[in-house]
Amino acid sequence: MKSNLIKAACIAGLSTALTATAGPSFAQQAGREIVLGAIVPSSGPFAEWGRANTVTLQMLERQINGSGGVNGAKLRIEILDDATKPAQATNNLRKLAGDDKVLAVAGPLTSSAAEVTFPVANEMKTVATSQASSKPGVAKLNRPWAFRNTIDEGVLGRTTVPYYKKTFNIKTVAIIYDAKDATAATVGSRIMPALMKENEIDVLNANDPLSFNTGDLDVSAQVTKMKALNPDGIVVSADYSQAVTVIREMKRQGILKPVVGSTQLISSAILKAAPEIPIIAPATFYATMKGDKPEKFVSELQPLLRKTSGLPAEIEPSMYDANIYEIVSIYIDAIKSAGVSGKAEDLEADRTKIRDYMAKLVGFPGLGGPIGFNDDGDAIKAFYILHGENGSWQSKVRGCSTAPGHPGC
Amino acid sequence: MMSTYYAGLLADVGILLLGALSVYVILATGQLSLGNAGFMGIGAYLTSYLTVTAGIPLTAALMMAAAASGLIGVVIGFPALRLKGIYLAMATLGFGEMVRSFFLNFEAMGGSGGFDGMRHVSLAYIWSWAAAILLLVAILERSQLWLEMRAVSDDETAAGLVGLNTTTIKVGAFGFAAAVAAVAGGLFAHHHVYIEPGNFSFERSIDFVLAVILGGSTVGAGALVGALLLVMLPEYLRFLAEWRFAVFGALLIAMLLVRRQGLLDRSLLGMFGSRRPA
Amino acid sequence: MFLQQFVNGVTLGAVYTLIALSFSLVMGILGVLNLAIAELFMIGGYFGFAVILAKLPLPVALLAGMAGAALVAAAIEKIGYQPLRNAPPVTPMLSTLGFSIILQNVATNLWGSDPLQLSEEVLSARFTFGPVSISAMQLVVLGATLVLVILLAFVVQRTSMGRALRAIAENRDVARLLGVSAGPVTLLAFMLSGALAGAAGVLISLHYAAITPYIGVEIGLKAIAVMVVGGTTRIWGALIAGPLIGIAEVMTTAYGGSQIRDFVVYGLMIAILLLRPQGLLGGPRSEQGPRV
């Protein structure tokens, strides 16, 4: 009867009310605390990245507070886990921006999360900067509040491929990519073929794309096909945890040809897959980088990472750790130089100041060189073409993701 | 004035509620579907295409997508008649994976790169649909048709002997459920304003089933309780940091052990008022 | 190249067969879909890895994987199945889902989410027969699968334990009337199934020399497809269906394009289900599985 329905609605309403009011709330002490937010994947398939990011941010927080805070106020970085689920990332942003009233957010990490979270950043008028998303156009679609401290893979490829061609005398390649991963699929099916054409390298499997799915254990069929084509080199467009599967199969089947790919390959894990196969990929940071700033960063962060339970004993600071460190450093710089008060009543104005500061940013001293942002919201920063072989990465070429109308690196 | 954080969570609840209801309706006829995320995906892509590319207003687009998906549900429902139990569940799982694989390769709407351009809808709009369909199911539960569906679920042979058209009932359930799941998909697409094939995987189908079983598999309102649980619980378990999901898994098991019909059932519902004699 | 792809397909099929058997032991006898089997596979793999990294030999790794997975399976049976054995099968299925969530989380916390790799492959010697190249580890996988299947068939067909298993599968109540105690038999079924999954985990992760907490997910789904195609209650069904699906998958990738692979595999599964709902080697049509 109708009454049962009403009872059901009452139960539902009661549950909602209980859940809505029982959650914790965060009060910001106006003026005495500066709060920033971060969204990282601390559980799920990228748990290691999220946990390493967390350690990095905690280190930064301690460093800043140890040297007087931000304009005298204490810094607090509120870190939320999105469990590698895009829906959780959007709710995290709503919580950070709406409830916790943070001044800006670092994250989310993946492009899938960024695609749905950046629109929310615009809705809530809070800056969100991704530390790892490199799928082309994600920030561009979501101006003016979305930024990425990464470089578009297409831009990076334009320096990577010529170096690859020259070093190994490549005339033909075969391309294999992870069809389930949006960034990898875009790079493997659109960006790399175009770059190969630009560099007059023949893609032997142009009419027969080779792909696999994230999580596949067995790529023997695809690699056997590649072997039959006998290319000079192989393009592997996939996240390194999946690329490991391909490279190991290549080694098993005796294809010891040089590999080229996107930033997704950069890791220490991939160097262990088949040390005799050279791997060429671009990076904006790597753990053995030379220079005062990066060396100091690594020497401080590495012991902390290795001590953290749940992280492997030989872990090194990654590009994503460096990126998120830079993002929050930029935010702090913005707060210091753009007249951000940190008071509750100035929240909207403060956030706008941070946004404008970032849009105009030029020459911020990052870990790998100066950083700025282009009109698409992506970073203008130095990058390095790395050559990985026999267990270590060597930097070979330095490039810069310059954009018209903006100063270079 | 609700915080946008809770507004976002409630939007997810509304969408999950619709998905759960789609499983509930099919379950009521004794069939388990592990592939309703496929219908959700069809609804999401179709609705998005209609609003973004064809410029059709959202409500009309949702209805068209629901109708199309319902038709597909009916088409799926016929071969489903030949299968029972786990075999049917597996076939629906296969169907869901095939739909996801289809959209992964469907370059016209982005393939693995996803599709965007949708306009964001308000929480109120999402809940108008969710509440309306919940009401519809509640009314259905009190109808003669529901008794027939339960009869088919309890003993299909007997139901057929008594003169019920088991085919229409079972296939109809699939069709209706597919339409509801499609609405869930369309609303999902316009809440997140970006969709990709990975959103409509087996994991999503299992979420629907979880919501029904945990919330209460014998009453429609159970889907609502289940949806609330599945969305809110991971948020409240945040303090557990890296053990969040393990505890969630443990709670799931505990719930099933302690109260296997789910949180809400007829007697609990009836406790709040006079019960209609069964 | 065709022969090489055939070999690839058969190896993949062996993986599927082992896991499908693991599923069907519990499915055929208890009517329950144990969604934690994919994670038992994964845990077995990690145990095997740990043993190999400690420089112990392969047979020890295999035993460690099987024993570890069997123990976890026993825990799942006691906590997640026994109390729910009279509920409709969807309930214990979701309970096993809870266990799979827990196991994934534990593995991520213990070993990290990045792939764990072996620096030197185990048994990496390769043999070349004409156009076909196969590694020693691959041969071990194929051989071990065959041995395990034969052992299982022996246990089920020839031992009193196996008779008890088949009796319970046939009709639980009558079996109990005849003196077969359901409790220990169910536990046995779970543990055997766990041991099989664990063995598969060790073999597979050593063959591919890399493991993550999520390797079970995709493989689990395909293995369920294999079980269904083979017929859930017939052991030999899985032995045929495994290579069948493995070869279909590999051939689709090789000759049709990797994009449509999942489409073809699940399409094949659905087609077989529609044409012969009880599976290739399943019994009469009425044997279609309990109401869920």
Side-chain angles (χ1 to χ4, degrees), chain B residues 5-76:
Chain B
Y5 169 56
Y6 283 106
L9 290 175
L10 282 178
D12 286 339
V13 172
I15 293 166
L16 183 54
L17 166 63
L18 287 173
L21 283 174
S22 76
V23 168
Y24 175 67
V25 165
I26 296 179
L27 197 59
T29 62
Q31 307 175 91
L32 176 66
S33 173
L34 293 177
N36 282 15
F39 295 121
M40 184 186 178
I42 292 172
Y45 274 94
L46 203 47
T47 315
S48 304
Y49 173 78
L50 289 171
T51 57
V52 175
T53 319
I56 295 178
L58 181 57
T59 310
L62 278 171
M63 296 211 243
M64 288 165 73
S69 178
L71 215 61
I72 298 177
V74 165
V75 168
I76 299 293

Coordinates of all heavy atoms in Angstrom, one line a residue, chain B residues 5-76:
Chain B
Y5 N 29.9 18.2 -2.1 CA 30.5 16.9 -1.9 C 29.4 15.9 -1.8 O 29.3 14.8 -2.4 CB 31.4 16.9 -0.7 CG 31.9 15.6 -0.2 CD1 32.5 14.7 -1.0 CD2 31.7 15.2 1.1 CE1 33.0 13.5 -0.5 CE2 32.2 14.0 1.6 CZ 32.8 13.1 0.8 OH 33.2 12.0 1.3
Y6 N 28.4 16.2 -0.8 CA 27.3 15.2 -0.6 C 26.4 15.2 -1.8 O 25.8 14.2 -2.2 CB 26.6 15.6 0.6 CG 27.3 15.1 1.9 CD1 28.0 16.0 2.7 CD2 27.4 13.8 2.1 CE1 28.7 15.5 3.8 CE2 28.1 13.3 3.2 CZ 28.8 14.2 4.0 OH 29.5 13.7 5.1
A7 N 26.3 16.4 -2.5 CA 25.5 16.4 -3.7 C 26.1 15.4 -4.8 O 25.4 14.7 -5.4 CB 25.5 17.8 -4.3
G8 N 27.4 15.5 -4.9 CA 28.1 14.5 -5.8 C 27.8 13.1 -5.5 O 27.5 12.2 -6.3
L9 N 27.9 12.8 -4.2 CA 27.7 11.4 -3.7 C 26.3 11.0 -4.0 O 26.0 9.9 -4.4 CB 28.1 11.3 -2.2 CG 29.5 11.4 -1.8 CD1 29.7 11.4 -0.3 CD2 30.3 10.3 -2.5
L10 N 25.3 11.9 -3.7 CA 23.9 11.5 -3.9 C 23.6 11.3 -5.4 O 22.8 10.5 -5.7 CB 23.0 12.6 -3.3 CG 22.9 12.5 -1.8 CD1 22.0 13.6 -1.2 CD2 22.3 11.1 -1.4
A11 N 24.3 12.1 -6.2 CA 24.1 11.8 -7.7 C 24.6 10.4 -8.0 O 23.9 9.7 -8.7 CB 24.9 12.9 -8.5
D12 N 25.7 10.0 -7.5 CA 26.2 8.7 -7.7 C 25.2 7.6 -7.1 O 25.0 6.6 -7.8 CB 27.6 8.4 -7.0 CG 28.7 9.1 -7.7 OD1 28.5 9.4 -8.9 OD2 29.7 9.4 -7.1
V13 N 24.6 8.0 -6.0 CA 23.6 7.1 -5.4 C 22.4 6.9 -6.3 O 22.0 5.8 -6.6 CB 23.1 7.6 -4.0 CG1 22.0 6.7 -3.5 CG2 24.3 7.5 -3.0
G14 N 21.9 8.0 -6.9 CA 20.8 7.9 -7.7 C 21.0 7.1 -9.0 O 20.2 6.3 -9.4
I15 N 22.2 7.3 -9.5 CA 22.6 6.5 -10.7 C 22.7 5.0 -10.4 O 22.2 4.1 -11.1 CB 23.8 7.1 -11.4 CG1 23.6 8.5 -11.9 CG2 24.4 6.2 -12.4 CD1 24.8 9.2 -12.2
L16 N 23.4 4.7 -9.3 CA 23.5 3.3 -8.9 C 22.2 2.7 -8.5 O 21.9 1.5 -8.8 CB 24.5 3.3 -7.6 CG 24.8 1.9 -7.1 CD1 25.4 1.0 -8.2 CD2 25.8 2.0 -6.0
L17 N 21.3 3.5 -7.9 CA 19.9 3.0 -7.6 C 19.2 2.5 -8.9 O 18.7 1.4 -8.9 CB 19.1 4.1 -7.0 CG 17.6 3.9 -6.9 CD1 17.3 2.7 -6.0 CD2 16.9 5.2 -6.4
L18 N 19.3 3.3 -9.9 CA 18.7 2.9 -11.2 C 19.3 1.6 -11.7 O 18.6 0.6 -12.1 CB 18.8 4.0 -12.2 CG 17.9 5.2 -12.0 CD1 18.2 6.3 -12.9 CD2 16.4 4.8 -12.1
G19 N 20.6 1.5 -11.6 CA 21.3 0.2 -12.1 C 20.8 -0.9 -11.2 O 20.6 -2.0 -11.7
A20 N 20.8 -0.7 -9.9 CA 20.4 -1.8 -9.0 C 19.0 -2.2 -9.3 O 18.6 -3.4 -9.3 CB 20.5 -1.3 -7.6
L21 N 18.1 -1.2 -9.6 CA 16.7 -1.6 -9.9 C 16.6 -2.5 -11.1 O 15.8 -3.4 -11.2 CB 15.8 -0.3 -10.1 CG 15.4 0.4 -8.8 CD1 14.7 1.7 -9.0 CD2 14.6 -0.5 -7.9
S22 N 17.5 -2.2 -12.1 CA 17.5 -3.0 -13.3 C 17.8 -4.4 -13.0 O 17.2 -5.4 -13.6 CB 18.4 -2.4 -14.4 OG 19.8 -2.7 -14.1
V23 N 18.7 -4.7 -12.1 CA 19.0 -6.0 -11.7 C 17.9 -6.6 -10.9 O 17.5 -7.8 -11.1 CB 20.4 -6.1 -10.9 CG1 20.5 -7.4 -10.2 CG2 21.5 -5.8 -11.8
Y24 N 17.3 -5.8 -10.0 CA 16.2 -6.3 -9.2 C 15.0 -6.8 -9.9 O 14.5 -7.9 -9.6 CB 15.8 -5.1 -8.2 CG 14.6 -5.4 -7.4 CD1 14.7 -6.4 -6.4 CD2 13.4 -4.8 -7.6 CE1 13.6 -6.7 -5.6 CE2 12.3 -5.0 -6.8 CZ 12.4 -6.0 -5.8 OH 11.3 -6.3 -5.0
V25 N 14.7 -6.1 -11.0 CA 13.5 -6.5 -11.8 C 13.7 -7.8 -12.4 O 12.8 -8.7 -12.5 CB 13.1 -5.4 -12.8 CG1 12.2 -5.9 -13.8 CG2 12.6 -4.2 -12.1
I26 N 14.9 -8.0 -13.0 CA 15.2 -9.3 -13.6 C 15.3 -10.4 -12.6 O 14.9 -11.5 -12.8 CB 16.6 -9.2 -14.4 CG1 16.5 -8.1 -15.5 CG2 17.0 -10.5 -15.0 CD1 17.7 -8.0 -16.3
L27 N 15.9 -10.1 -11.4 CA 16.1 -11.1 -10.4 C 14.7 -11.5 -9.9 O 14.5 -12.7 -9.5 CB 16.8 -10.4 -9.2 CG 17.4 -11.4 -8.2 CD1 18.4 -12.4 -8.9 CD2 18.1 -10.6 -7.1
A28 N 13.7 -10.7 -10.0 CA 12.4 -11.0 -9.5 C 11.7 -12.1 -10.4 O 10.8 -12.8 -9.9 CB 11.5 -9.8 -9.5
T29 N 12.2 -12.3 -11.6 CA 11.7 -13.4 -12.4 C 12.6 -14.6 -12.3 O 12.5 -15.5 -13.1 CB 11.6 -13.0 -13.9 OG1 12.9 -12.7 -14.4 CG2 10.7 -11.8 -14.0
G30 N 13.5 -14.6 -11.4 CA 14.4 -15.8 -11.2 C 15.6 -15.8 -12.1 O 16.2 -16.8 -12.2
Q31 N 15.9 -14.7 -12.7 CA 17.1 -14.7 -13.6 C 18.1 -13.7 -13.0 O 17.8 -12.7 -12.5 CB 16.7 -14.2 -15.0 CG 15.5 -14.9 -15.6 CD 15.1 -14.4 -16.9 OE1 15.6 -14.8 -18.0 NE2 14.2 -13.4 -16.9
L32 N 19.4 -14.1 -13.1 CA 20.5 -13.2 -12.6 C 21.2 -12.7 -13.8 O 21.7 -13.4 -14.6 CB 21.4 -14.0 -11.7 CG 22.7 -13.1 -11.2 CD1 22.2 -12.0 -10.3 CD2 23.7 -14.0 -10.5
S33 N 21.3 -11.3 -13.9 CA 22.0 -10.7 -15.0 C 23.3 -10.1 -14.5 O 23.2 -9.2 -13.6 CB 21.1 -9.7 -15.6 OG 21.9 -9.0 -16.6
L34 N 24.4 -10.5 -15.0 CA 25.7 -9.9 -14.6 C 26.2 -9.0 -15.7 O 27.4 -8.8 -15.8 CB 26.7 -11.1 -14.4 CG 26.4 -12.0 -13.2 CD1 27.5 -13.0 -13.1 CD2 26.5 -11.1 -11.9
G35 N 25.3 -8.6 -16.6 CA 25.8 -7.8 -17.7 C 25.0 -6.5 -17.9 O 25.1 -5.9 -19.0
N36 N 24.3 -6.0 -16.9 CA 23.5 -4.8 -17.0 C 24.4 -3.5 -17.3 O 23.8 -2.5 -17.8 CB 22.6 -4.6 -15.8 CG 21.4 -5.5 -15.9 OD1 21.4 -6.4 -16.7 ND2 20.4 -5.2 -15.2
A37 N 25.6 -3.6 -17.0 CA 26.5 -2.4 -17.3 C 26.5 -2.2 -18.8 O 26.7 -1.1 -19.3 CB 27.9 -2.7 -16.8
G38 N 26.3 -3.3 -19.5 CA 26.2 -3.2 -21.0 C 25.1 -2.3 -21.4 O 25.2 -1.4 -22.3
F39 N 23.9 -2.5 -20.8 CA 22.8 -1.7 -21.1 C 23.0 -0.2 -20.7 O 22.6 0.7 -21.4 CB 21.5 -2.2 -20.5 CG 21.1 -3.6 -21.0 CD1 21.0 -4.6 -20.1 CD2 20.8 -3.7 -22.3 CE1 20.6 -5.9 -20.6 CE2 20.4 -5.0 -22.8 CZ 20.3 -6.1 -22.0
M40 N 23.7 -0.1 -19.5 CA 24.0 1.2 -19.1 C 24.9 1.9 -20.1 O 24.7 3.1 -20.4 CB 24.7 1.1 -17.7 CG 25.1 2.4 -17.1 SD 26.0 2.2 -15.6 CE 26.3 3.9 -15.1
G41 N 25.9 1.2 -20.6 CA 26.8 1.8 -21.6 C 26.1 2.2 -22.8 O 26.3 3.3 -23.4
I42 N 25.2 1.3 -23.3 CA 24.4 1.6 -24.5 C 23.6 2.9 -24.3 O 23.6 3.8 -25.1 CB 23.4 0.5 -24.9 CG1 24.2 -0.7 -25.3 CG2 22.5 0.9 -25.9 CD1 23.4 -2.0 -25.6
G43 N 23.0 3.0 -23.1 CA 22.2 4.2 -22.8 C 23.1 5.4 -22.7 O 22.7 6.5 -23.2
A44 N 24.3 5.3 -22.1 CA 25.2 6.4 -21.9 C 25.6 7.0 -23.3 O 25.5 8.2 -23.6 CB 26.4 6.0 -21.1
Y45 N 26.1 6.1 -24.1 CA 26.6 6.5 -25.4 C 25.5 7.0 -26.3 O 25.6 8.0 -27.0 CB 27.3 5.3 -26.1 CG 28.8 5.2 -25.7 CD1 29.2 4.4 -24.7 CD2 29.8 6.0 -26.4 CE1 30.5 4.3 -24.3 CE2 31.1 6.0 -26.0 CZ 31.4 5.1 -25.0 OH 32.8 5.0 -24.6
L46 N 24.3 6.3 -26.3 CA 23.2 6.8 -27.2 C 22.7 8.1 -26.8 O 22.6 9.1 -27.6 CB 22.1 5.7 -27.1 CG 21.1 5.7 -28.3 CD1 21.9 5.7 -29.6 CD2 20.3 4.4 -28.1
T47 N 22.5 8.3 -25.4 CA 22.0 9.6 -25.0 C 23.0 10.7 -25.3 O 22.6 11.8 -25.7 CB 21.8 9.6 -23.4 OG1 21.1 8.4 -23.1 CG2 21.0 10.7 -23.0
S48 N 24.3 10.4 -25.1 CA 25.3 11.4 -25.3 C 25.3 11.8 -26.8 O 25.4 13.0 -27.1 CB 26.7 11.0 -24.9 OG 26.6 10.6 -23.6
Y49 N 25.2 10.8 -27.6 CA 25.2 11.1 -29.1 C 24.0 12.0 -29.4 O 24.2 13.0 -30.1 CB 25.1 9.8 -29.9 CG 24.9 10.0 -31.3 CD1 26.0 10.4 -32.2 CD2 23.6 9.9 -31.9 CE1 25.8 10.6 -33.5 CE2 23.5 10.2 -33.3 CZ 24.5 10.5 -34.1 OH 24.4 10.7 -35.4
L50 N 22.9 11.7 -28.8 CA 21.7 12.5 -29.2 C 21.8 13.9 -28.7 O 21.4 14.8 -29.4 CB 20.4 11.8 -28.5 CG 20.0 10.5 -29.2 CD1 19.0 9.8 -28.4 CD2 19.6 10.7 -30.6
T51 N 22.3 14.1 -27.5 CA 22.4 15.5 -27.0 C 23.5 16.3 -27.6 O 23.4 17.4 -27.9 CB 22.5 15.5 -25.4 OG1 23.7 14.8 -25.1 CG2 21.3 15.0 -24.8
V52 N 24.6 15.6 -27.8 CA 25.8 16.4 -28.2 C 25.8 16.5 -29.7 O 26.0 17.6 -30.2 CB 27.1 15.7 -27.8 CG1 28.3 16.4 -28.4 CG2 27.2 15.6 -26.3
T53 N 25.6 15.4 -30.4 CA 25.7 15.5 -31.9 C 24.4 15.9 -32.6 O 24.4 16.6 -33.6 CB 26.2 14.1 -32.4 OG1 27.2 13.7 -31.6 CG2 26.8 14.3 -33.8
A54 N 23.3 15.3 -32.0 CA 22.0 15.6 -32.7 C 21.3 16.7 -32.1 O 20.2 17.1 -32.6 CB 21.2 14.3 -32.7
G55 N 21.8 17.3 -31.0 CA 21.2 18.4 -30.4 C 19.8 18.2 -29.8 O 19.0 19.2 -29.7
I56 N 19.5 17.0 -29.4 CA 18.2 16.7 -28.9 C 18.2 17.0 -27.4 O 19.1 16.7 -26.7 CB 17.8 15.3 -29.2 CG1 17.7 15.1 -30.7 CG2 16.5 14.9 -28.5 CD1 17.3 13.7 -31.1
P57 N 17.1 17.6 -26.9 CA 17.1 17.9 -25.4 C 17.2 16.6 -24.6 O 16.8 15.6 -25.0 CB 15.7 18.6 -25.2 CG 15.1 18.7 -26.5 CD 15.9 18.1 -27.5
L58 N 17.7 16.8 -23.4 CA 18.1 15.6 -22.6 C 17.0 14.7 -22.3 O 17.1 13.5 -22.5 CB 18.7 16.1 -21.3 CG 19.2 15.0 -20.4 CD1 20.2 14.1 -21.1 CD2 19.9 15.6 -19.1
T59 N 15.8 15.2 -21.8 CA 14.7 14.3 -21.4 C 14.3 13.4 -22.6 O 14.1 12.2 -22.5 CB 13.6 15.1 -20.9 OG1 14.0 16.0 -19.9 CG2 12.5 14.2 -20.3
A60 N 14.1 14.1 -23.8 CA 13.7 13.3 -24.9 C 14.8 12.3 -25.3 O 14.5 11.1 -25.6 CB 13.5 14.3 -26.1
A61 N 16.1 12.7 -25.2 CA 17.2 11.8 -25.5 C 17.2 10.6 -24.6 O 17.4 9.5 -25.0 CB 18.5 12.5 -25.4
L62 N 16.9 10.8 -23.3 CA 16.9 9.7 -22.3 C 15.8 8.8 -22.7 O 16.0 7.5 -22.6 CB 16.7 10.3 -20.9 CG 17.9 10.8 -20.2 CD1 17.6 11.5 -18.9 CD2 18.9 9.6 -19.9
M63 N 14.6 9.3 -23.1 CA 13.5 8.4 -23.4 C 13.8 7.6 -24.6 O 13.5 6.4 -24.7 CB 12.2 9.2 -23.5 CG 11.9 9.9 -22.2 SD 10.1 10.0 -22.0 CE 10.0 11.8 -22.0
M64 N 14.4 8.2 -25.6 CA 14.7 7.5 -26.8 C 15.8 6.4 -26.6 O 15.6 5.3 -27.0 CB 15.3 8.5 -27.9 CG 14.2 9.4 -28.5 SD 14.9 10.8 -29.3 CE 15.5 10.1 -30.8
A65 N 16.8 6.8 -25.8 CA 17.8 5.8 -25.5 C 17.2 4.6 -24.7 O 17.6 3.5 -24.9 CB 19.0 6.5 -24.7
A66 N 16.3 5.0 -23.7 CA 15.7 3.9 -22.9 C 14.9 3.0 -23.8 O 15.0 1.7 -23.7 CB 14.8 4.5 -21.8
A67 N 14.2 3.6 -24.8 CA 13.4 2.7 -25.7 C 14.3 1.8 -26.5 O 14.0 0.6 -26.6 CB 12.5 3.6 -26.6
A68 N 15.3 2.4 -27.1 CA 16.2 1.6 -27.9 C 16.9 0.5 -27.1 O 16.9 -0.7 -27.5 CB 17.3 2.5 -28.5
S69 N 17.3 0.8 -25.9 CA 17.9 -0.2 -25.0 C 16.9 -1.2 -24.6 O 17.3 -2.4 -24.5 CB 18.5 0.5 -23.8 OG 19.1 -0.4 -22.9
G70 N 15.7 -0.8 -24.3 CA 14.7 -1.8 -24.0 C 14.5 -2.8 -25.1 O 14.3 -4.0 -24.8
L71 N 14.5 -2.3 -26.3 CA 14.4 -3.1 -27.5 C 15.5 -4.2 -27.5 O 15.3 -5.4 -27.7 CB 14.4 -2.3 -28.7 CG 13.5 -2.8 -29.9 CD1 12.1 -2.7 -29.4 CD2 13.7 -1.9 -31.1
I72 N 16.7 -3.7 -27.3 CA 17.8 -4.6 -27.2 C 17.7 -5.6 -26.1 O 18.0 -6.8 -26.2 CB 19.2 -3.8 -27.1 CG1 19.4 -2.9 -28.3 CG2 20.3 -4.8 -27.0 CD1 20.6 -2.0 -28.2
G73 N 17.2 -5.1 -25.0 CA 16.9 -6.0 -23.8 C 16.0 -7.1 -24.2 O 16.2 -8.3 -23.8
V74 N 14.9 -6.8 -24.9 CA 14.0 -7.8 -25.4 C 14.7 -8.8 -26.3 O 14.5 -10.0 -26.2 CB 12.8 -7.1 -26.1 CG1 12.0 -8.1 -26.8 CG2 11.9 -6.4 -25.1
V75 N 15.5 -8.3 -27.2 CA 16.2 -9.1 -28.1 C 17.1 -10.1 -27.4 O 17.2 -11.3 -27.7 CB 17.0 -8.3 -29.2 CG1 18.0 -9.2 -29.9 CG2 16.1 -7.6 -30.1
I76 N 17.7 -9.6 -26.3 CA 18.6 -10.4 -25.5 C 17.8 -11.4 -24.7 O 18.2 -12.5 -24.5 CB 19.4 -9.6 -24.5 CG1 20.3 -8.6 -25.3 CG2 20.2 -10.4 -23.6 CD1 21.4 -9.3 -26.0

